[in-house]
Amino acid sequence: MMFLMLLSLFNPIDDVRYLENYLQTQGHELEPSKVYVVISGYSCISCSKRAYVLLDDLCDVSNLVVISSEPASCKASANGLVWIQDTKNDFDYMPYNFEGLTVIQIENRKIKRKVFDLKNLNELSKYLENSLMVD
Amino acid sequence: MLLRFKLLIILSGFTIANSFAQAGELTISTVGEFTFHSEKEYITPSIQTIDGEPYYVDVFKDSAVLTNIDSKKKYVYDLKPLQLYRHYFMALRFIEIDRCVAIHGLRDQLVIYDCKKKEKKVIQLNPFLRDKEEPSIGLFQQIPKMGNKLIIHIMDKQPERDTQAQRDSIFSRPPFIVYDLKDGKVTRPSDGKFWPDKYTGQYTFEDWAPTITHNDKNKIFLSFRQSNKIIEYDLKRDELCTHTVAQLDYLPDADSLSGGTMSQRREFNITNASIRNHIYHPELKQHFILVKDSSAFIVDDRIVTYNKINWKLLVLNRDFTLQNTQEIKMSELQWYMLGYSNKSILLAGALHDKDGLTYRPIKALKL
């Protein structure tokens, strides 16, 4: 069992092709300049709702793509935020094993990801505002 | 190459897991399909034995629907006076065809409710609980009825769960109390080794409440998700003993998940085998233990879902020796529901839609 646990560390979780294939099934092409935000179905519902409120405030940012099982809010739709709604939560079954809210950036065909606990969104808020949104 | 190596390791795990003695094939047949109640606020279903007969019980926000699995006779009760949903009653058990008990999670109360007269009797459980203990309620929580007695799960209060000291403190304590419906007395078992040794000192597994089943007389059996030990408690003698099930030796070690994130826990639960339900058939005098087998985590570039994993039902004799093993397709069944009738074990199927209605099949495993 320890072998299994150790081997799991070498999972190809930074391989971009799963995300690329997934986006194609959803009618989108992978754009390396974009920042992808995945809200996993393995999160508490009220925590996810707080994440949506936070994303609403950031929805005028053009390089953000949100993947979630929930529909985009009115504000997000009105501002043209790219929002992929996948009611089947297929994204949760990609080999990345998402949890909470994951911010994904693409570098050299590799996935760089940062996971945020939805119970504490302050960190996420700072991260999105300071690291990603400054042109 | 790496994937092949992983598969090899997993397959060798399967070989160990499959070293169960195989007796003759058992047959599973559908004994009935029940239309699903139309109400939306669905809480939790279960198979319950009421007055010796098996019933499929659907519980909703304000009502309960009981269907006799053999005769198909239906009973619908209004549960509004219980304010079920608002007060987080999640466990509901019918003790007679028109009388049920429920646990009020926030107020530590046991409520006995007469569905016809619409009268309720409230029993305060606080005097029988120690500091920081509460009756356990959860989506699939049952209130087992053993003769005239109700077995009530207890556990540490949730906010305290993440401290190691709290976790350690429960190891010498019974995870249940017993309420006698006849004389209204509550019995709290003496402290003892109610938990498997390997759980001690570990804040790792998620199964805080063991699965509780009983022989309908005086013996209560506790099984744990990741342990090959079944704890037996004799209520008459206030005595404990531990049984080891050799076929479950491959369940994982406790420290495998130490400090795991949500993702790691998900992977752990998929890749490792675990016990998911256990029921004792008092007439057949056999244990039925539903085991989710070990599995690869990723197959065909997708994380494996529980429905795609092999499950098995272990049939154990009274002395915990293996009688039989039945492979179960979990895509067709719901693991949290087990019940029994005269000579069979009842399993609930997954809901499916047909002609605009939702159905739940009930299947019987004949022995």
Side-chain angles (χ1 to χ4, degrees):
Chain A
M1 196 47 63
M2 279 306 289
F3 260 120
L4 200 66
M5 298 297 282
L6 282 171
L7 283 167
S8 67
L9 297 174
F10 302 107
N11 271 341
I13 57 166
D14 58 350
D15 189 333
V16 81
R17 72 191 164 94
Y18 304 110
L19 179 64
E20 195 168 31
N21 291 343
Y22 172 78
L23 289 170
Q24 278 168 2
T25 62
Q26 299 293 323
H28 293 260
E29 286 299 322
L30 181 82
E31 291 179 62
S33 61
K34 298 234 170 184
V35 175
Y36 294 86
V37 176
V38 183
I39 303 171
S40 167
Y42 292 93
S43 316
C44 80
I45 295 167
S46 57
C47 305
S48 307
K49 281 187 178 153
R50 287 166 59 207
Y52 299 137
V53 173
L54 191 141
L55 289 168
D56 258 3
D57 290 341
L58 298 166
C59 64
D60 52 344
V61 179
S62 61
N63 65 339
L64 211 56
V65 177
V66 179
I67 303 173
S68 160
S69 60
E70 296 294 314
S73 70
C74 288
K75 193 175 168 189
S77 316
N79 283 315
L81 177 72
V82 182
W83 190 289
I84 300 173
Q85 188 195 357
D86 174 358
T87 51
K88 288 183 180 167
N89 284 77
D90 262 349
F91 54 87
D92 268 328
Y93 298 98
M94 281 191 275
Y96 306 118
N97 197 9
F98 293 125
E99 66 168 301
L101 187 149
T102 309
V103 178
I104 296 172
Q105 287 175 289
I106 318 290
E107 274 179 18
N108 302 323
R109 303 271 309 155
K110 294 271 182 202
I111 274 186
K112 202 181 124 193
R113 62 183 189 163
K114 193 158 169 60
V115 180
F116 296 91
D117 184 350
L118 287 175
K119 285 177 185 153
N120 181 7
L121 290 172
N122 292 342
E123 198 193 349
L124 169 71
S125 178
K126 278 183 203 158
Y127 181 79
L128 288 175
E129 283 171 13
N130 299 336
S131 315
L132 303 174
M133 306 310 160
V134 181
D135 287 328
Chain B
M1 183 64 194
L2 185 64
L3 185 68
R4 275 185 197 169
F5 184 49
K6 279 185 78 170
L7 277 173
L8 189 70
I9 300 250
I10 288 153
L11 283 174
S12 57
F14 276 142
T15 315
I16 300 162
N18 285 332
S19 59
F20 298 114
Q22 297 284 332
E25 278 289 298
L26 303 174
T27 53
I28 296 184
S29 56
T30 302
V31 287
E33 281 212 309
F34 301 93
T35 37
F36 198 54
H37 203 267
S38 61
E39 203 178 333
K40 287 272 187 279
E41 296 89 352
Y42 176 56
I43 296 184
T44 185
S46 58
I47 300 170
Q48 299 183 7
T49 305
I50 308 163
D51 298 333
E53 306 227 354
Y55 285 82
Y56 173 56
V57 180
D58 253 337
V59 179
F60 303 89
K61 186 180 153 192
D62 287 329
S63 65
V65 181
L66 282 69
T67 315
N68 186 309
I69 291 172
D70 293 334
S71 71
K72 313 286 185 285
K73 194 172 174 189
K74 213 172 213 178
Y75 302 82
V76 182
Y77 295 120
D78 175 19
L79 297 179
K80 277 197 195 83
L82 274 177
Q83 296 178 305
L84 202 61
Y85 184 71
R86 205 171 60 188
H87 287 146
Y88 303 98
F89 280 112
M90 295 303 271
L92 193 87
R93 160 90 213 186
F94 277 81
I95 48 177
E96 285 163 27
I97 194 63
D98 51 9
R99 221 155 60 103
C100 65
V101 291
I103 288 172
H104 191 312
L106 292 181
R107 292 190 193 148
D108 297 342
Q109 289 169 342
L110 176 75
V111 182
I112 302 177
Y113 182 63
D114 190 313
C115 302
K116 277 193 177 156
K117 293 180 189 162
K118 302 208 171 188
E119 287 171 358
K120 61 179 173 184
K121 181 183 166 190
V122 175
I123 295 115
Q124 202 59 47
L125 296 172
N126 277 351
F128 310 100
L129 301 174
R130 289 192 195 155
D131 186 29
K132 292 176 180 149
E133 279 180 354
E134 63 183 355
S136 163
I137 51 161
L139 193 57
F140 306 125
Q141 192 74 68
Q142 303 290 316
I143 312 172
K145 181 173 171 279
M146 181 173 78
N148 281 315
K149 296 176 174 72
L150 297 173
I151 304 166
I152 301 161
H153 286 246
I154 51 171
M155 61 200 300
D156 264 22
K157 284 190 195 296
Q158 301 217 3
E160 306 289 347
R161 279 195 200 182
D162 54 352
T163 62
Q164 184 62 52
Q166 286 296 320
R167 173 84 210 218
D168 287 346
S169 73
I170 64 172
F171 282 96
S172 58
R173 287 195 240 144
F176 61 88
I177 51 176
V178 178
Y179 176 78
D180 193 316
L181 286 160
K182 256 191 173 170
D183 59 18
K185 281 186 184 160
V186 175
T187 309
R188 187 188 166 100
S190 304
D191 285 359
K193 285 177 86 174
F194 279 92
W195 299 79
D197 277 344
K198 75 172 187 178
Y199 276 47
T200 314
Q202 299 289 343
Y203 175 58
T204 49
F205 296 136
E206 292 173 314
D207 56 333
W208 284 83
T211 303
I212 296 184
T213 184
H214 56 82
N215 71 348
D216 216 20
K217 286 178 187 157
N218 61 321
K219 285 186 178 170
I220 297 170
F221 305 101
L222 309 177
S223 55
F224 302 80
R225 266 200 193 176
Q226 263 101 22
S227 174
N228 60 351
K229 301 279 188 276
I230 307 282
I231 310 284
E232 179 184 314
Y233 173 73
D234 189 320
L235 185 66
K236 267 190 196 157
R237 298 179 179 175
D238 191 22
E239 257 177 26
L240 278 169
C241 75
T242 304
H243 303 276
T244 304
V245 181
Q247 286 72 27
L248 297 170
D249 281 348
Y250 69 107
L251 292 173
D253 289 331
D255 55 1
S256 309
L257 195 60
S258 191
T261 62
M262 196 191 289
S263 293
Q264 286 164 331
R265 285 205 300 275
R266 179 189 188 190
E267 183 164 348
F268 179 90
N269 284 329
I270 289 172
T271 53
N272 288 292
S274 56
I275 295 174
R276 291 309 174 107
N277 210 343
H278 174 193
I279 195 167
Y280 181 80
H281 197 307
E283 287 165 49
L284 297 170
K285 301 193 187 333
Q286 284 175 327
H287 293 267
F288 295 81
I289 299 178
L290 193 57
V291 180
K292 183 204 77 73
D293 232 331
S294 46
S295 160
F297 184 53
I298 294 166
V299 172
D300 294 336
D301 291 343
R302 278 177 75 87
I303 293 175
V304 173
T305 59
Y306 278 4
N307 288 351
K308 294 197 172 140
I309 299 172
N310 292 319
W311 291 60
K312 57 169 68 87
L313 194 65
L314 299 186
V315 185
L316 304 175
N317 297 318
R318 224 162 148 187
D319 60 357
F320 293 91
T321 53
L322 186 74
Q323 169 71 30
N324 213 323
T325 308
Q326 172 72 34
E327 296 291 331
I328 301 279
K329 261 193 185 170
M330 201 42 62
S331 54
E332 293 167 8
L333 292 169
Q334 301 213 324
W335 59 267
Y336 51 87
M337 264 189 276
L338 285 179
Y340 62 85
S341 64
N342 287 343
K343 291 277 177 206
S344 56
I345 281 292
L346 300 169
L347 307 111
L351 297 174
H352 66 95
D353 293 325
K354 200 166 65 184
D355 304 328
L357 287 171
T358 307
Y359 291 87
R360 160 107 57 203
I362 301 285
K363 292 163 192 276
L365 179 67
K366 296 249 185 234
L367 299 149

